Structure formats: C-alpha cells, structure tokens
C-alpha cells in the first residue's frame, strides 16, 4: 500500500468475538512487529499482558477473567488501538 511505516489510518485491526467467553483473537491486515497488547479492567488495572507480538493474528486466553467490561489496547510502532470488550 501507499502508507508509510507507522501510518495505518486506512487499515483496520479487529478483535473477535466481542462479547468473548474464552479465546479472543486480534487480527491485523499487516504484520505486527514487537507489538504488545494489554487487557485492563474498568479501574485501569492491567489484568493480562502480552509482549513481543509478531504476525497478523494474536490469540488471548480470557478464561481466567471474571465476567465484566474490559479495555483492550494494542500498541504497535508507537500507535495505540483501543477497544471496549465485554467478557461473558
């Protein structure tokens, strides 16, 4: 594409399913390189963290989390992507 490194305005990263019961999948149309993700509860406390993510598909096991609302953040090349997530 025509995007410069670090510019992904025209591309989308998705998390599925949402709401989620156990395995959350983060998918990107481009390959991540040393990215990281975190899942925070509504108070902002980090409850799950993944480092050194590469490739265009990450799977996150949410089965240890209690039912409720969370914030999922993926940071890649200095850019943050944020979603609200409902854990069933």
């Amino acid at each position: 594409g025509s995007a410069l490194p670090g510019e992904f305005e025209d591309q989308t990263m998705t998390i599925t399913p949402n709401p989620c019961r156990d395995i959350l999948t983060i998918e990107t149309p481009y390959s991540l390189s040393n990215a990281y993700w975190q899942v925070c509860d509504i108070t902002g406390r980090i409850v799950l963290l993944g480092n050194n993510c590469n490739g265009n598909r990450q799977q996150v096991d949410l089965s240890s989390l209690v039912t409720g609302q969370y914030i999922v953040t993926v940071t890649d090349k200095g850019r943050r992507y944020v979603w609200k997530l409902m854990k069933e």
Side-chain angles (χ1 to χ4, degrees), residues 1-14 28-30 79 81:
S2 60
L4 297 171
E7 292 185 352
F8 299 111
E9 287 89 344
D10 61 334
Q11 302 189 32
T12 52
M13 189 180 298
T14 60
T28 62
Y30 58 92
R79 180 156 299 188
Y81 301 83

Side-chain angles (χ1 to χ4, degrees), residues 15-26:
I15 63 169
T16 54
N18 188 5
C20 183
R21 189 164 307 221
D22 44 23
I23 302 298
L24 180 73
T25 301
I26 301 168

Side-chain angles (χ1 to χ4, degrees), residues 21-75:
R21 189 164 307 221
D22 44 23
I23 302 298
L24 180 73
T25 301
I26 301 168
E27 289 189 283
T28 62
Y30 58 92
S31 191
L32 296 176
S33 176
N34 297 319
Y36 65 91
W37 56 262
Q38 60 188 36
V39 180
C40 296
D41 65 17
I42 55 171
T43 70
R45 185 173 62 96
I46 297 173
V47 292
L48 292 171
L49 179 65
N51 291 312
N52 225 6
C53 300
N54 297 294
N56 60 359
R57 186 181 175 104
Q58 309 296 321
Q59 294 200 303
V60 182
D61 186 354
L62 301 179
S63 58
S64 64
L65 300 181
V66 297
T67 299
Q69 196 169 39
Y70 295 88
I71 303 294
V72 178
T73 305
V74 176
T75 304

